[in-house]
Every structure is written in C-alpha cells, then in structure tokens.
Amino acid sequence: MASVVWLVVAVLVIWLATRMTVGLLSIFTGVLIGALAGWLAGKLIQGRGFGLLKNVLVGIIGAVVGGLLFPLFGLHAVGLIGSLVTATVGAIVLLTFVRWLQAS
C-alpha cells in the first residue's frame, strides 16, 4: 500500500514539474520574443535599440497591439516566427503612435 502511495505522489510531482516547466518556458519565450521585437522595431524606427528592459517592454506591448491588429486584417500568426512578426509589427505601430503623440 505504501508503494502505491509513493507512486501516486511521484506521478503528481512529475506532472506538476512538467506544468511548471512549460509555464516558465512560455514566459521565457515571451520575454525573448519581446526583446527581439522591441530591438527590431527600435532599429527600424530609430536606427538603434532602446536597451534590454525597454526593448522587452516595447516588444511585449507591441505583441498585444499586433495581436489586436492582425485579426482585423484577417491575419493569423503561427509559430515562433509568426509571434515575432506580430510583436514587431505591433511594436512599430506603437512607436509610430508614440512619435506622433510627441510631435503634437
């Protein structure tokens, strides 16, 4: 009976570790895509990046903006490259909007 309990505990621990790893991997991937998208958008709009933290913030906000805009045009991003394109386009729109606000 004790070995069955330990087997159940081991299965639960492995399941929980797998779920946590997937969650951490997805967070890490999101931050990495945000950093790349922010850097790319900074290069395209300003000719340089903003630094790591601002690149990540611009990229993550850009991913949200791109995620809202792409379906309006009937576009759907698939995979890692699609996510990077969506975040980069959203970051470019964000930076263009911010630049427009500053000029007003």
Side-chain angles (χ1 to χ4, degrees):
M1 181 68 172
S3 60
V4 172
V5 171
W6 280 111
L7 180 63
V8 169
V9 169
V11 168
L12 286 175
V13 167
I14 291 170
W15 177 79
L16 183 61
T18 304
R19 300 295 279 171
M20 288 175 63
T21 303
V22 170
L24 290 175
L25 184 62
S26 119
I27 289 170
F28 177 74
T29 304
V31 168
L32 183 65
I33 289 173
L36 285 172
W39 178 78
L40 281 171
K43 286 294 229 183
L44 293 171
I45 297 295
Q46 285 188 241
R48 61 181 173 81
F50 302 106
L52 182 61
L53 183 60
K54 285 185 182 176
N55 282 344
V56 170
L57 290 175
V58 167
I60 290 172
I61 295 170
V64 172
V65 171
L68 293 172
L69 290 178
F70 268 43
L72 294 176
F73 296 103
L75 301 172
H76 302 283
V78 177
L80 190 62
I81 300 297
S83 297
L84 181 60
V85 169
T86 301
T88 303
V89 169
I92 290 170
V93 169
L94 173 71
L95 292 176
T96 303
F97 181 71
V98 168
R99 185 176 274 183
W100 176 75
L101 282 177
Q102 289 176 343
S104 302

